[in-house]
Amino acid sequence: MRALITGITGQDGSYLADFLLEKGYDVFGMVRRASTESFERIEHIRDKVTLLQADLLDQLSIINIIEEVKPDEIFNLAAQSFVPTSWNQPVLTGEFDALGVTKILEGIRLLNRKIRFYQASSSEMFGKVRETPQNEKTAFYPRSPYGVAKVYGHWITVNYRESYDIHASSGILFNHESPRRGLEFVTRKITDGVARIKLGLADQLALGNLDARRDWGFAGDYVRAMWLMVQQDEPADFVISTGKSHSVKEFVETAFAHVDLDYQKYVVTDPRFIRPAEVDFLLGDSSLAREKLGWEPEVDFEELVRMMVDSDLEKLKKQAG
C-alpha cells in the first residue's frame, strides 16, 4: 500500500508515518519548499519515507504529486493549525485549511477516484457549542477564522464524497497532544514551562484563560483512528475524543504536581493570550467511532501530561549538555 501524507513534518503527520511504516506501507510525505526546513519530528524515519515538494496553495503541484506517487490513500494533515495565528492571517488560513482541501479533492477527482481520502477536521468547528457532548450531528458554530476554514474543509469533503463517489472521510478530532506538539500550543507551552522552572531555567509561566475546558487525548492514539476510517467499506465522518473534559488549570496543576511544585507560585495570567472569541467548553462523544471502528484511546489525561513533562525535562537536560 502507498500512502501520501500532507503535513508529514507536523505532530500528527509524524505519528501517522510511524504507524503506517509499522503496517508495511510505502510512505510519501508532502513538504513545502522553505529556506529553513524542519524535519525534527521525522528525523528518526527520514531514511524510511520519501519526501516530495508540493504546496496546498498550488493546484498543479498537488496534481503532479498525486500523479507521481499514485497513492492508495491520502491523509490531508497539512494546515495552518494554530488558532491564534488565524486571527492575524485569516485569508492565508482560509487558503490552506479550506481551499487547500478542495485542491486535493480535485486532484483525486481528475486522476483517480479510487484513492481513499482522509480530511483532518477539528473540534474547533463546534466553537460556541450547541450541545454537550458534541457528536457527528452537532451543529457547527466556529469561533475563529481557523474554525470557519475547517468547516469549509469538512463540508467540501462531504460534498465530493456525495457528488463523485469518492471514499472521503473526515475525522472530527478533539484536542490531541504529545511530546511532538509545537511550543506555541498551550499544552506544550505548559510542559516546557514546567520543565524550565524545575531545572531553574525560568521562574514563571504566563498563560491566558485557565478556565477553558478541552477534551484532551494522545496524538498517537488519534492517528490510529484516522487509518481505521480509511479502511472502512463506506466512508463517513467520526468524532474522535476521550469523552472527558479538563480545564487548562487542571492541566497546569497536573504538570506542576508531577515535578513536586505548586503551580500558584509560578503561573501568571497575561491578557495577550486571551482569544478575541473564546471557545469555553469542548467535550466529544466518540460512541460512533468506538462502535464502528473499534477505536479506544489508550493513554489517559494524567499519563499524557506526565509523558510531555518528562520529554521536555529530558530535552532541556540534553540541551544543557
Side-chain angles (χ1 to χ4, degrees):
M1 294 289 283
R2 296 162 75 83
L4 173 62
I5 303 171
T6 74
I8 194 171
T9 59
Q11 169 189 257
D12 292 8
S14 66
Y15 277 109
L16 180 62
D18 287 341
F19 180 85
L20 294 177
L21 287 169
E22 280 174 29
K23 292 266 176 210
Y25 276 67
D26 287 338
V27 176
F28 298 81
M30 184 181 108
V31 292
R32 296 176 69 207
R33 172 77 186 91
S35 52
T36 55
E37 294 178 325
S38 173
F39 299 129
E40 185 191 350
R41 294 185 183 97
I42 56 167
E43 207 54 64
H44 63 293
I45 52 169
R46 271 299 292 278
D47 58 339
K48 295 175 184 161
V49 300
T50 305
L51 301 181
L52 299 165
Q53 287 182 358
D55 197 308
L56 286 183
L57 302 185
D58 180 2
Q59 178 74 73
L60 191 56
S61 73
I62 299 287
I63 287 170
N64 287 340
I65 199 173
I66 295 173
E67 264 190 324
E68 184 176 344
V69 172
K70 296 184 171 48
D72 299 292
E73 300 168 359
I74 296 178
F75 296 85
N76 181 36
L77 310 184
Q80 190 301 96
S81 60
F82 190 45
V83 175
T85 295
S86 77
W87 297 103
N88 298 326
Q89 297 183 301
V91 176
L92 186 72
T93 301
E95 292 273 3
F96 276 124
D97 299 6
L99 296 179
V101 187
T102 318
K103 286 170 185 162
I104 298 175
L105 287 164
E106 267 295 274
I108 292 171
R109 182 183 74 81
L110 292 167
L111 296 171
N112 178 8
R113 297 187 190 185
K114 291 203 163 36
I115 294 171
R116 295 191 170 203
F117 176 73
Y118 171 83
Q119 165 61 11
S121 287
S122 166
S123 58
E124 286 282 335
M125 302 188 306
F126 295 123
K128 192 173 182 178
V129 298
R130 308 285 81 193
E131 62 180 349
T132 298
Q134 296 88 51
N135 62 31
E136 294 78 8
K137 294 185 169 66
T138 303
F140 300 137
Y141 192 145
R143 295 270 280 170
S144 65
Y146 170 80
V148 173
K150 280 290 185 182
V151 170
Y152 177 103
H154 180 84
W155 282 118
I156 200 70
T157 301
V158 173
N159 195 265
Y160 271 67
R161 175 168 79 215
E162 294 177 352
S163 304
Y164 303 116
D165 197 26
I166 291 169
H167 193 297
S169 298
S170 281
I172 305 173
L173 271 53
F174 278 65
N175 294 63
H176 45 290
E177 317 298 321
S178 75
R180 299 181 194 174
R181 190 54 137 158
L183 280 165
E184 68 273 25
F185 291 87
V186 69
T187 50
R188 183 72 198 293
K189 188 179 173 185
I190 292 166
T191 60
D192 175 73
V194 166
R196 286 177 187 280
I197 289 165
K198 183 64 180 175
L199 297 173
L201 302 171
D203 52 15
Q204 71 172 33
L205 175 60
L207 297 169
N209 179 10
L210 295 183
D211 297 321
R213 299 184 70 86
R214 294 290 183 272
D215 183 329
W216 274 302
F218 171 52
D221 286 340
Y222 284 39
V223 299
R224 187 162 29 91
M226 299 174 185
W227 178 78
L228 286 167
M229 283 177 220
V230 176
Q231 309 318 307
Q232 300 307 298
D233 291 338
E234 295 298 325
D237 306 321
F238 293 92
V239 162
I240 303 298
S241 65
T242 67
K244 292 176 183 165
S245 181
H246 298 274
S247 65
V248 174
K249 186 178 168 187
E250 283 174 72
F251 199 107
V252 168
E253 283 173 334
T254 307
F256 274 95
H258 184 49
V259 294
D260 302 315
L261 293 175
D262 175 3
Y263 83 95
Q264 289 171 310
K265 293 179 182 170
Y266 304 100
V267 173
V268 294
T269 304
D270 188 331
R272 283 180 309 155
F273 301 126
I274 305 286
R275 293 182 185 185
E278 183 57 270
V279 173
D280 298 308
F281 184 51
L282 291 174
L283 177 65
D285 171 8
S286 57
S287 310
L288 187 66
R290 290 167 197 246
E291 179 195 331
K292 285 264 177 72
L293 307 177
W295 177 84
E296 291 276 347
E298 289 172 5
V299 177
D300 69 20
F301 176 73
E302 284 76 17
E303 271 181 272
L304 173 65
V305 178
R306 291 195 296 265
M307 176 202 302
M308 291 175 68
V309 172
D310 289 342
S311 169
D312 280 324
L313 280 168
E314 198 180 318
K315 201 168 279 185
L316 290 166
K317 281 176 188 166
K318 264 191 196 153
Q319 283 171 13

